[in-house]
Coordinates of all heavy atoms in Angstrom, one line a residue:
M1 N 106.1 99.5 92.5 CA 106.5 98.4 93.3 C 106.6 97.3 92.4 O 105.7 96.9 91.7 CB 105.5 98.2 94.4 CG 105.7 97.1 95.3 SD 107.0 97.2 96.4 CE 106.5 98.6 97.4
C2 N 107.5 96.4 92.6 CA 107.7 95.1 91.8 C 107.5 94.0 92.8 O 108.4 93.4 93.4 CB 109.0 95.0 91.1 SG 109.2 93.5 90.2
R3 N 106.2 93.8 93.0 CA 105.9 92.7 94.1 C 106.3 91.3 93.7 O 106.6 90.4 94.6 CB 104.4 92.7 94.4 CG 103.9 93.9 94.9 CD 102.2 93.8 95.1 NE 101.8 95.1 95.7 CZ 101.7 95.4 96.9 NH1 101.8 94.4 97.8 NH2 101.2 96.5 97.2
E4 N 106.6 91.0 92.5 CA 106.9 89.7 92.0 C 108.3 89.4 92.6 O 108.8 88.3 92.9 CB 106.9 89.5 90.5 CG 105.5 89.5 89.9 CD 104.9 90.9 89.7 OE1 105.7 91.8 89.6 OE2 103.8 91.1 89.8
L5 N 109.1 90.4 92.6 CA 110.5 90.3 93.0 C 110.8 90.8 94.5 O 111.9 90.8 94.9 CB 111.5 91.0 92.1 CG 111.5 90.4 90.5 CD1 112.2 91.2 89.8 CD2 111.9 88.9 90.5
N6 N 109.7 91.4 95.1 CA 109.8 91.9 96.3 C 110.8 93.1 96.4 O 111.5 93.2 97.3 CB 110.2 91.0 97.5 CG 109.0 90.0 97.8 OD1 107.8 90.3 97.4 ND2 109.3 89.0 98.6
R7 N 110.7 94.0 95.4 CA 111.6 95.2 95.5 C 110.7 96.4 95.4 O 109.6 96.4 94.9 CB 112.5 95.2 94.1 CG 113.5 94.0 94.3 CD 114.5 94.0 93.0 NE 115.3 92.9 93.1 CZ 115.5 92.0 92.2 NH1 114.9 92.2 91.0 NH2 116.3 91.0 92.3
E8 N 111.3 97.5 95.7 CA 110.5 98.7 95.7 C 111.7 99.9 95.3 O 112.8 99.6 95.4 CB 110.1 99.0 97.1 CG 111.0 99.3 98.3 CD 110.3 99.5 99.5 OE1 109.1 99.6 99.6 OE2 111.0 99.7 100.6
P9 N 111.1 101.0 95.0 CA 112.0 102.0 94.5 C 112.9 102.5 95.7 O 112.5 102.4 96.9 CB 111.1 103.2 94.3 CG 109.8 102.6 93.8 CD 109.7 101.4 94.7
A10 N 114.1 102.9 95.3 CA 115.1 103.3 96.3 C 114.6 104.5 97.2 O 114.9 104.5 98.4 CB 116.5 103.6 95.8
W11 N 114.0 105.4 96.6 CA 113.5 106.5 97.3 C 112.5 106.2 98.4 O 112.4 106.7 99.5 CB 113.0 107.7 96.5 CG 111.7 107.4 95.6 CD1 111.6 106.6 94.5 CD2 110.4 107.6 96.1 NE1 110.4 106.6 94.1 CE2 109.5 107.1 95.0 CE3 109.8 108.2 97.3 CZ2 108.2 107.2 95.1 CZ3 108.4 108.2 97.3 CH2 107.6 107.9 96.2
V12 N 111.5 105.2 98.2 CA 110.6 104.7 99.2 C 111.4 104.2 100.4 O 111.0 104.5 101.5 CB 109.6 103.7 98.5 CG1 108.7 103.2 99.6 CG2 108.9 104.4 97.4
A13 N 112.2 103.3 100.1 CA 113.1 102.6 101.2 C 113.9 103.7 101.9 O 113.9 103.6 103.2 CB 114.0 101.6 100.6
A14 N 114.4 104.7 101.3 CA 115.2 105.7 101.9 C 114.4 106.5 102.8 O 114.7 106.8 103.9 CB 115.9 106.6 100.9
I15 N 113.1 106.9 102.4 CA 112.1 107.6 103.3 C 111.8 106.8 104.6 O 111.8 107.3 105.6 CB 111.0 108.1 102.5 CG1 111.4 109.2 101.5 CG2 110.0 108.7 103.5 CD1 110.3 109.6 100.6
R16 N 111.5 105.5 104.4 CA 111.1 104.7 105.3 C 112.3 104.7 106.4 O 112.1 104.7 107.7 CB 110.7 103.3 104.9 CG 110.3 102.4 106.1 CD 109.8 100.9 105.8 NE 110.2 100.4 104.6 CZ 109.4 100.4 103.4 NH1 108.2 100.9 103.4 NH2 109.9 99.9 102.3
L17 N 113.5 104.3 106.0 CA 114.6 104.2 106.9 C 115.0 105.5 107.6 O 115.3 105.6 108.7 CB 115.9 103.7 106.1 CG 115.9 102.3 105.7 CD1 117.0 102.0 104.8 CD2 115.8 101.4 106.9
A18 N 114.8 106.6 106.9 CA 115.0 108.0 107.4 C 114.1 108.3 108.6 O 114.5 108.6 109.7 CB 114.9 109.2 106.4
Y19 N 112.8 107.9 108.5 CA 111.8 108.0 109.5 C 112.1 106.9 110.8 O 112.1 107.3 111.8 CB 110.5 107.8 109.0 CG 109.9 108.9 108.4 CD1 108.9 108.8 107.3 CD2 110.1 110.2 108.7 CE1 108.4 109.9 106.6 CE2 109.7 111.4 108.1 CZ 108.8 111.1 107.0 OH 108.3 112.3 106.4
L20 N 112.4 105.7 110.4 CA 112.7 104.7 111.4 C 113.9 104.8 112.1 O 114.0 104.7 113.3 CB 112.7 103.2 110.7 CG 111.3 102.8 110.3 CD1 111.4 101.5 109.3 CD2 110.3 102.6 111.3
R21 N 115.1 105.2 111.4 CA 116.4 105.1 111.9 C 116.9 106.6 112.4 O 117.8 106.8 113.2 CB 117.5 104.5 111.1 CG 117.2 103.1 111.0 CD 118.4 102.5 110.1 NE 118.3 101.2 110.0 CZ 119.0 100.5 109.2 NH1 120.0 101.0 108.3 NH2 118.9 99.1 109.0
G22 N 116.3 107.6 111.4 CA 116.9 108.8 111.6 C 117.9 109.2 110.5 O 118.5 110.3 110.5
W23 N 118.5 108.2 109.8 CA 119.6 108.2 108.9 C 119.5 107.1 107.8 O 118.8 106.0 108.1 CB 121.0 108.1 109.6 CG 121.2 106.8 110.3 CD1 120.9 106.6 111.6 CD2 121.7 105.6 109.8 NE1 121.3 105.2 111.9 CE2 121.7 104.6 110.8 CE3 122.3 105.2 108.5 CZ2 122.2 103.2 110.6 CZ3 122.7 103.9 108.3 CH2 122.7 103.0 109.4
V24 N 120.1 107.3 106.8 CA 120.1 106.3 105.7 C 121.6 106.3 105.0 O 122.3 107.5 105.2 CB 119.1 106.5 104.5 CG1 117.7 106.4 105.1 CG2 119.4 107.9 103.8
D25 N 121.9 105.2 104.5 CA 123.2 105.2 103.7 C 122.9 104.2 102.5 O 121.8 103.6 102.4 CB 124.4 104.8 104.5 CG 124.4 103.5 105.1 OD1 123.4 102.6 104.8 OD2 125.3 103.1 105.9
V26 N 123.9 104.0 101.6 CA 123.6 103.3 100.4 C 123.3 101.9 100.8 O 122.3 101.2 100.1 CB 124.8 103.4 99.5 CG1 124.7 102.6 98.3 CG2 124.9 104.9 98.8
E27 N 124.1 101.4 101.5 CA 124.0 99.9 101.9 C 122.6 99.6 102.6 O 122.1 98.7 102.2 CB 125.1 99.5 102.9 CG 125.1 98.0 103.3 CD 126.3 97.7 104.2 OE1 127.4 98.1 103.9 OE2 126.0 97.1 105.2
S28 N 122.2 100.4 103.5 CA 120.9 100.2 104.1 C 119.8 100.2 103.1 O 118.7 99.6 103.3 CB 120.7 101.1 105.3 OG 120.6 102.5 104.9
V29 N 119.9 101.3 102.3 CA 118.7 101.4 101.3 C 118.6 100.2 100.3 O 117.6 99.7 99.9 CB 118.9 102.8 100.4 CG1 117.8 102.8 99.4 CG2 118.7 103.9 101.4
V30 N 119.9 99.8 99.8 CA 120.0 98.5 99.1 C 119.2 97.3 99.7 O 118.5 96.5 99.1 CB 121.4 98.2 98.6 CG1 121.6 96.9 97.9 CG2 122.0 99.3 97.7
E31 N 119.6 97.1 101.0 CA 119.1 96.0 101.8 C 117.5 96.2 101.9 O 116.9 95.3 101.8 CB 119.7 96.0 103.1 CG 119.3 94.8 103.9 CD 120.0 94.8 105.4 OE1 121.2 95.3 105.4 OE2 119.4 94.3 106.2
E32 N 117.1 97.4 102.3 CA 115.7 97.6 102.6 C 114.9 97.5 101.4 O 113.8 96.9 101.5 CB 115.4 99.0 103.2 CG 114.0 99.3 103.5 CD 113.4 98.6 104.7 OE1 114.3 98.1 105.5 OE2 112.2 98.8 104.9
A33 N 115.4 97.9 100.3 CA 114.5 97.9 99.1 C 114.7 96.5 98.4 O 114.1 96.3 97.3 CB 114.9 99.0 98.0
N34 N 115.7 95.6 98.9 CA 115.8 94.4 98.4 C 116.3 94.3 96.9 O 115.8 93.7 96.0 CB 114.6 93.5 98.4 CG 114.7 91.9 98.1 OD1 115.9 91.4 98.5 ND2 113.7 91.3 97.6
L35 N 117.3 95.2 96.6 CA 117.8 95.5 95.2 C 118.9 94.5 95.1 O 119.5 94.0 96.0 CB 118.4 96.9 95.2 CG 117.4 98.1 95.4 CD1 117.9 99.4 95.3 CD2 116.1 97.9 94.3
I36 N 119.1 94.2 93.8 CA 120.2 93.2 93.4 C 121.5 94.0 93.5 O 121.7 95.1 93.4 CB 120.1 92.7 92.0 CG1 119.9 93.9 90.9 CG2 118.7 91.9 91.9 CD1 119.8 93.3 89.5
S37 N 122.6 93.3 93.6 CA 123.9 93.7 93.7 C 124.3 94.5 92.5 O 123.9 94.1 91.3 CB 124.8 92.6 93.9 OG 126.3 93.1 93.9
G38 N 125.0 95.6 92.6 CA 125.4 96.3 91.4 C 124.6 97.7 91.3 O 124.7 98.4 90.3
R39 N 123.5 97.8 92.2 CA 122.7 99.0 92.1 C 123.0 100.2 93.0 O 122.4 101.1 93.2 CB 121.2 98.7 92.4 CG 120.6 97.7 91.5 CD 120.3 98.4 90.1 NE 119.6 97.5 89.2 CZ 119.8 97.3 88.1 NH1 120.8 98.2 87.4 NH2 119.2 96.4 87.2
E40 N 124.3 99.9 93.7 CA 124.8 100.9 94.6 C 125.0 102.4 94.2 O 124.6 103.4 94.8 CB 126.0 100.4 95.3 CG 125.9 99.2 96.1 CD 125.9 97.9 95.3 OE1 126.2 97.9 94.2 OE2 125.7 96.9 95.9
R41 N 125.4 102.4 92.9 CA 125.7 103.7 92.3 C 124.3 104.4 91.9 O 124.2 105.6 92.2 CB 126.4 103.6 90.9 CG 126.8 104.9 90.3 CD 127.8 105.6 91.2 NE 127.2 107.0 91.3 CZ 127.6 107.9 92.3 NH1 128.5 107.7 93.2 NH2 127.0 109.1 92.4
T42 N 123.2 103.7 91.6 CA 122.0 104.2 91.4 C 121.3 104.8 92.6 O 120.9 105.9 92.8 CB 121.0 103.3 90.7 OG1 121.6 102.8 89.5 CG2 119.6 103.8 90.5
V43 N 121.6 104.0 93.8 CA 120.9 104.3 95.0 C 121.7 105.6 95.4 O 121.2 106.5 96.0 CB 121.2 103.2 96.0 CG1 120.8 103.7 97.4 CG2 120.2 102.0 95.6
A44 N 123.1 105.7 95.4 CA 123.8 106.9 95.7 C 123.3 108.1 94.9 O 123.2 109.2 95.6 CB 125.4 106.6 95.5
D45 N 123.0 108.0 93.8 CA 122.4 109.1 92.9 C 121.1 109.4 93.4 O 120.8 110.7 93.6 CB 122.3 108.7 91.5 CG 123.7 108.6 90.7 OD1 124.7 109.0 91.3 OD2 123.7 108.0 89.6
V46 N 120.3 108.5 93.8 CA 119.0 108.9 94.4 C 119.1 109.6 95.7 O 118.4 110.6 95.9 CB 118.1 107.5 94.6 CG1 116.8 107.9 95.4 CG2 117.8 106.9 93.2
L47 N 120.0 109.1 96.6 CA 120.2 109.8 97.9 C 120.8 111.2 97.7 O 120.3 112.1 98.4 CB 121.1 109.0 98.7 CG 120.6 107.6 99.1 CD1 121.6 106.9 100.0 CD2 119.3 107.7 99.9
E48 N 121.7 111.4 96.7 CA 122.2 112.8 96.4 C 121.2 113.8 96.0 O 121.1 114.9 96.3 CB 123.3 112.6 95.4 CG 124.6 112.0 95.9 CD 125.7 111.7 94.9 OE1 125.3 112.3 93.7 OE2 126.5 110.9 95.1
T49 N 120.3 113.2 95.1 CA 119.1 114.0 94.6 C 118.2 114.3 95.8 O 117.8 115.5 95.8 CB 118.4 113.3 93.5 OG1 119.3 113.0 92.4 CG2 117.2 114.0 93.0
M50 N 117.8 113.4 96.6 CA 116.9 113.7 97.8 C 117.7 114.7 98.7 O 116.9 115.6 99.2 CB 116.8 112.3 98.6 CG 115.9 111.4 97.8 SD 115.6 109.8 98.6 CE 114.6 110.3 99.9
C51 N 119.1 114.7 98.7 CA 119.7 115.7 99.6 C 119.5 117.1 99.1 O 119.3 118.0 99.7 CB 121.1 115.4 99.8 SG 122.0 116.3 100.9
R52 N 119.8 117.2 97.7 CA 119.6 118.4 97.0 C 118.2 119.0 97.2 O 118.1 120.3 97.2 CB 120.0 118.3 95.5 CG 121.4 118.3 95.1 CD 121.8 118.4 93.8 NE 120.9 117.6 92.8 CZ 121.3 116.4 92.5 NH1 122.3 115.9 92.9 NH2 120.5 115.8 91.6
R53 N 117.2 118.2 97.2 CA 115.9 118.6 97.2 C 115.4 118.9 98.7 O 114.2 119.2 99.0 CB 114.9 117.6 96.7 CG 115.2 117.6 95.1 CD 114.3 116.6 94.4 NE 114.7 116.7 93.0 CZ 114.0 115.8 92.1 NH1 113.3 114.8 92.5 NH2 114.4 115.9 90.9
G54 N 116.2 118.7 99.7 CA 115.9 118.8 101.1 C 115.3 117.8 101.8 O 114.8 118.0 103.0
L55 N 115.1 116.6 101.2 CA 114.5 115.5 102.0 C 115.5 114.9 102.9 O 115.2 114.4 104.0 CB 114.1 114.4 100.9 CG 112.9 114.9 100.0 CD1 112.8 113.9 98.8 CD2 111.6 115.1 100.7
L56 N 116.7 114.9 102.6 CA 117.8 114.4 103.4 C 118.9 115.5 103.5 O 118.8 116.3 102.7 CB 118.5 113.2 102.8 CG 117.6 111.9 102.6 CD1 118.3 110.9 101.8 CD2 117.1 111.3 103.9
R57 N 119.9 115.3 104.5 CA 120.9 116.1 104.6 C 122.1 115.4 105.0 O 122.1 114.2 105.6 CB 120.7 117.3 105.7 CG 120.4 116.9 106.9 CD 120.2 118.1 107.8 NE 119.7 117.6 109.2 CZ 120.6 117.3 110.1 NH1 121.9 117.4 110.0 NH2 120.2 117.0 111.3
E58 N 123.3 115.8 104.5 CA 124.5 115.0 104.9 C 124.8 115.1 106.4 O 124.6 116.1 107.0 CB 125.8 115.8 104.2 CG 125.8 115.4 102.8 CD 127.0 116.0 102.0 OE1 127.8 116.6 102.7 OE2 127.1 115.8 100.8
G59 N 125.1 113.9 107.0 CA 125.3 113.9 108.3 C 126.7 114.3 108.8 O 127.5 114.5 107.9
P60 N 127.0 114.5 110.0 CA 128.3 114.8 110.5 C 129.2 113.7 110.1 O 128.9 112.5 110.0 CB 128.2 114.8 112.0 CG 126.8 114.4 112.4 CD 126.1 114.2 111.2
Q61 N 130.5 114.1 109.7 CA 131.5 113.2 109.1 C 130.9 112.3 108.0 O 131.2 111.1 107.8 CB 131.9 112.3 110.1 CG 132.7 113.0 111.4 CD 133.0 111.9 112.6 OE1 132.7 110.8 112.5 NE2 133.6 112.5 113.5
F62 N 130.2 113.1 107.0 CA 129.7 112.4 105.9 C 130.7 111.7 105.0 O 130.5 110.5 104.6 CB 128.9 113.4 105.0 CG 128.3 112.7 103.7 CD1 127.0 111.9 103.9 CD2 128.9 112.9 102.5 CE1 126.6 111.5 102.7 CE2 128.4 112.3 101.4 CZ 127.2 111.6 101.6
D63 N 131.9 112.2 104.8 CA 132.8 111.7 103.9 C 133.3 110.3 104.5 O 133.6 109.4 103.8 CB 134.0 112.5 103.8 CG 133.6 113.9 102.9 OD1 132.6 113.6 102.2 OD2 134.3 114.9 103.1
A64 N 133.3 110.2 105.9 CA 133.7 108.9 106.4 C 132.6 107.8 106.6 O 132.9 106.6 106.5 CB 134.2 109.2 107.8
T65 N 131.2 108.3 106.9 CA 130.2 107.5 107.1 C 129.4 107.2 105.9 O 128.7 106.2 105.8 CB 129.3 107.8 108.2 OG1 128.8 109.1 107.9 CG2 130.3 108.1 109.5
G66 N 129.2 108.2 105.1 CA 128.2 108.2 103.9 C 126.8 108.3 104.4 O 126.0 108.0 103.6
R67 N 126.5 108.6 105.6 CA 125.2 108.7 106.1 C 124.4 110.1 105.9 O 125.0 111.1 106.1 CB 125.1 108.5 107.7 CG 125.6 107.1 107.9 CD 125.3 106.9 109.5 NE 125.5 105.4 109.7 CZ 125.5 104.9 111.0 NH1 125.2 105.7 112.0 NH2 125.7 103.6 111.1
Y68 N 123.2 110.0 105.6 CA 122.4 111.1 105.3 C 121.3 111.1 106.5 O 120.9 110.1 106.9 CB 121.5 111.0 104.0 CG 122.4 111.2 102.8 CD1 122.8 110.1 102.1 CD2 122.6 112.5 102.3 CE1 123.7 110.2 101.0 CE2 123.4 112.6 101.2 CZ 123.8 111.5 100.4 OH 124.6 111.7 99.3
L69 N 121.0 112.3 106.9 CA 120.1 112.4 108.1 C 118.7 113.0 107.5 O 118.8 113.4 106.4 CB 120.4 113.4 109.2 CG 122.0 113.0 109.7 CD1 122.3 114.1 110.7 CD2 122.0 111.7 110.4
V70 N 117.7 112.9 108.3 CA 116.4 113.5 107.8 C 116.6 114.9 107.6 O 117.0 115.8 108.5 CB 115.4 113.1 108.9 CG1 114.1 113.9 108.5 CG2 115.2 111.7 109.1
G71 N 116.1 115.3 106.3 CA 116.3 116.6 106.0 C 115.0 117.6 106.4 O 114.0 117.0 107.0
P72 N 115.0 118.8 106.1 CA 113.8 119.7 106.5 C 112.5 119.3 105.9 O 111.5 119.4 106.6 CB 114.4 121.0 106.1 CG 115.6 120.9 105.2 CD 116.1 119.5 105.5
S73 N 112.5 118.9 104.7 CA 111.3 118.6 104.0 C 110.6 117.4 104.7 O 109.4 117.3 104.9 CB 111.4 118.3 102.5 OG 111.8 119.4 101.9
L74 N 111.4 116.3 105.0 CA 110.8 115.1 105.7 C 110.5 115.4 107.1 O 109.4 114.9 107.6 CB 111.9 114.0 105.6 CG 112.0 113.3 104.4 CD1 113.0 112.0 104.5 CD2 110.7 112.8 103.8
Q75 N 111.3 116.3 107.7 CA 110.8 116.7 109.1 C 109.5 117.4 109.1 O 108.8 117.1 110.1 CB 111.9 117.6 109.8 CG 113.2 116.9 110.1 CD 114.4 117.8 110.5 OE1 114.2 119.0 110.3 NE2 115.2 117.2 111.3
R76 N 109.2 118.2 108.3 CA 107.9 119.0 108.2 C 106.9 118.0 108.0 O 105.6 118.2 108.3 CB 108.0 120.1 107.1 CG 108.7 121.3 107.5 CD 108.5 122.4 106.6 NE 108.8 122.2 105.2 CZ 110.0 122.4 104.7 NH1 110.9 122.9 105.5 NH2 110.4 122.1 103.5
S77 N 107.1 116.9 107.2 CA 106.0 116.0 107.0 C 106.1 114.7 107.7 O 105.4 113.7 107.1 CB 106.0 115.8 105.3 OG 107.2 115.1 105.1
A78 N 106.8 114.6 108.7 CA 106.9 113.4 109.5 C 105.6 112.9 110.0 O 104.7 113.6 110.4 CB 107.9 113.7 110.7
P79 N 105.4 111.5 109.9 CA 104.1 110.8 110.4 C 104.3 110.8 111.9 O 105.4 111.0 112.6 CB 104.2 109.5 109.7 CG 105.6 109.3 109.6 CD 106.4 110.6 109.2
S80 N 103.1 110.3 112.6 CA 103.0 110.2 113.9 C 103.9 109.0 114.3 O 104.2 108.1 113.4 CB 101.7 109.9 114.5 OG 101.2 108.8 113.8
P81 N 104.4 108.9 115.6 CA 105.1 107.7 116.0 C 104.4 106.5 115.6 O 105.0 105.4 115.2 CB 105.4 107.9 117.5 CG 105.2 109.3 117.6 CD 104.2 109.9 116.6
A82 N 102.9 106.3 115.8 CA 102.3 105.1 115.5 C 102.4 104.8 114.0 O 102.6 103.6 113.5 CB 100.9 105.1 115.9
A83 N 102.4 105.7 113.1 CA 102.4 105.6 111.7 C 103.8 105.1 111.3 O 104.0 104.3 110.4 CB 102.1 106.8 111.0
V84 N 104.8 105.6 112.1 CA 106.2 105.2 111.7 C 106.3 103.6 112.1 O 106.9 102.8 111.3 CB 107.2 106.0 112.6 CG1 108.7 105.3 112.5 CG2 107.3 107.4 112.0
K85 N 105.7 103.3 113.1 CA 105.7 101.7 113.5 C 105.1 100.9 112.4 O 105.6 99.9 112.0 CB 105.0 101.5 114.8 CG 105.9 102.0 116.0 CD 105.2 101.7 117.3 CE 106.0 102.2 118.5 NZ 105.3 102.0 119.7
Q86 N 103.9 101.4 111.9 CA 103.4 100.8 110.8 C 104.2 100.6 109.5 O 104.1 99.7 108.8 CB 102.0 101.5 110.5 CG 101.0 100.8 109.7 CD 99.6 101.1 109.7 OE1 99.5 102.4 110.1 NE2 98.7 100.5 109.2
L87 N 105.0 101.7 109.3 CA 105.9 101.5 108.1 C 106.8 100.4 108.3 O 107.1 99.8 107.3 CB 106.8 102.7 108.0 CG 106.1 104.3 107.6 CD1 107.1 105.3 107.8 CD2 105.6 104.0 106.1
A88 N 107.3 100.2 109.5 CA 108.2 99.0 109.8 C 107.5 97.8 109.6 O 108.1 96.8 109.1 CB 108.8 99.1 111.2
R89 N 106.2 97.7 110.0 CA 105.5 96.3 109.9 C 105.3 96.0 108.5 O 105.1 94.9 108.1 CB 104.2 96.4 110.7 CG 104.5 96.2 112.1 CD 103.1 96.0 112.8 NE 102.1 97.0 112.7 CZ 101.8 97.9 113.4 NH1 102.7 98.2 114.2 NH2 100.9 98.8 113.0
H90 N 105.0 97.0 107.6 CA 104.5 96.9 106.3 C 105.8 97.0 105.2 O 105.6 97.0 104.0 CB 103.6 97.8 105.8 CG 102.3 97.4 106.6 ND1 101.5 96.3 106.6 CD2 101.7 98.3 107.6 CE1 100.6 96.5 107.4 NE2 100.5 97.6 108.1
G91 N 107.0 96.9 105.7 CA 108.0 97.1 104.8 C 108.3 95.9 104.0 O 107.8 94.7 104.2
V92 N 108.8 96.1 102.7 CA 109.0 95.0 101.9 C 109.7 93.9 102.4 O 109.4 92.6 102.1 CB 109.8 95.4 100.6 CG1 110.2 94.4 99.8 CG2 109.0 96.3 99.8
H93 N 110.6 93.9 103.2 CA 111.4 92.9 103.9 C 110.5 92.1 104.8 O 111.0 91.0 105.2 CB 112.7 93.4 104.7 CG 112.3 94.3 105.8 ND1 111.7 95.6 105.6 CD2 112.1 94.1 107.2 CE1 111.5 96.2 106.8 NE2 111.7 95.3 107.7
Q94 N 109.3 92.6 105.2 CA 108.4 91.8 106.0 C 107.3 91.0 105.2 O 106.6 90.3 105.7 CB 107.6 92.9 106.9 CG 108.4 93.6 107.8 CD 108.9 92.9 108.9 OE1 108.5 91.9 109.4 NE2 110.1 93.4 109.5
W95 N 107.3 91.2 103.9 CA 106.3 90.5 103.2 C 106.6 89.0 103.1 O 107.8 88.6 103.0 CB 106.2 91.1 101.7 CG 105.9 92.3 101.6 CD1 105.5 93.3 102.6 CD2 105.7 93.2 100.4 NE1 105.1 94.4 102.1 CE2 105.3 94.4 100.8 CE3 106.1 92.9 99.1 CZ2 105.1 95.4 99.9 CZ3 105.8 93.9 98.1 CH2 105.3 95.1 98.5
V96 N 105.6 88.4 103.0 CA 105.7 86.7 102.8 C 105.1 86.5 101.5 O 103.9 86.9 101.1 CB 104.8 86.2 103.9 CG1 104.8 84.6 103.7 CG2 105.3 86.4 105.3
R97 N 105.9 85.9 100.6 CA 105.5 85.6 99.3 C 104.6 84.5 99.2 O 104.8 83.5 100.1 CB 106.8 85.2 98.5 CG 107.7 86.5 98.2 CD 108.8 86.1 97.4 NE 108.2 85.9 96.1 CZ 109.0 85.8 95.1 NH1 110.4 85.8 95.1 NH2 108.6 85.8 93.7
P98 N 103.5 84.5 98.6 CA 102.6 83.3 98.4 C 103.2 82.3 97.7 O 104.1 82.5 96.9 CB 101.3 84.0 97.6 CG 101.9 85.2 96.9 CD 103.0 85.6 97.7
A99 N 102.9 81.0 98.1 CA 103.3 79.8 97.4 C 102.8 79.7 96.1 O 101.7 80.1 95.9 CB 103.0 78.6 98.3
D100 N 103.7 79.2 95.2 CA 103.3 79.1 93.8 C 102.4 77.9 93.6 O 102.7 76.9 94.1 CB 104.5 78.9 92.8 CG 105.3 80.3 92.8 OD1 104.7 81.3 92.9 OD2 106.6 80.2 92.6
D101 N 101.3 78.0 92.9 CA 100.4 76.9 92.8 C 100.7 76.3 91.5 O 101.1 76.7 90.5 CB 98.9 77.3 92.8 CG 98.6 77.8 94.2 OD1 99.1 77.3 95.2 OD2 97.7 78.5 94.3

């Protein structure tokens, strides 16, 4: 985690979004992880790897939407609904940066 820049690894953001929304795509992961422009290919590679490992699976009409759904590995380890809500509250996009002294 790079707290100074409020960024996190793409795979962490992808897992959080998969649990919260049920799907992820490159654009949503870039936004959730607060990544700089130009990292889309890296995020796409991360999502493809997660798909190969069973964490995600290609959604219906994947070629048109680019959306991945929760895969079997994530389904088996899914947190409780209360824990999923906590993921949303503690996401990087929710952080408040302390004022510089």
Side-chain angles (χ1 to χ4, degrees):
M1 177 72 66
C2 182
R3 291 182 187 262
E4 293 81 22
L5 299 175
N6 283 349
R7 295 192 182 120
E8 66 184 357
W11 65 271
V12 173
I15 290 172
R16 180 177 23 259
L17 287 173
Y19 283 144
L20 292 173
R21 293 183 179 173
W23 60 270
V24 298
D25 62 8
V26 171
E27 184 178 312
S28 64
V29 172
V30 168
E31 183 180 333
E32 179 72 13
N34 195 29
L35 298 176
I36 59 175
S37 180
R39 298 290 186 215
E40 293 82 7
R41 185 66 231 162
T42 301
V43 172
D45 290 343
V46 167
L47 296 179
E48 289 170 15
T49 300
M50 292 175 74
C51 186
R52 281 195 310 271
R53 295 180 179 173
L55 297 166
L56 300 173
R57 62 183 172 85
E58 291 182 356
Q61 302 175 352
F62 176 78
D63 293 332
T65 65
R67 288 185 176 180
Y68 291 92
L69 304 177
V70 176
S73 294
L74 284 183
Q75 285 177 340
R76 285 191 299 271
S77 62
S80 68
V84 169
K85 286 181 184 176
Q86 197 164 10
L87 287 172
R89 283 196 303 271
H90 296 296
V92 166
H93 62 286
Q94 300 287 338
W95 292 358
V96 177
R97 294 182 72 172
D100 294 329
D101 293 330

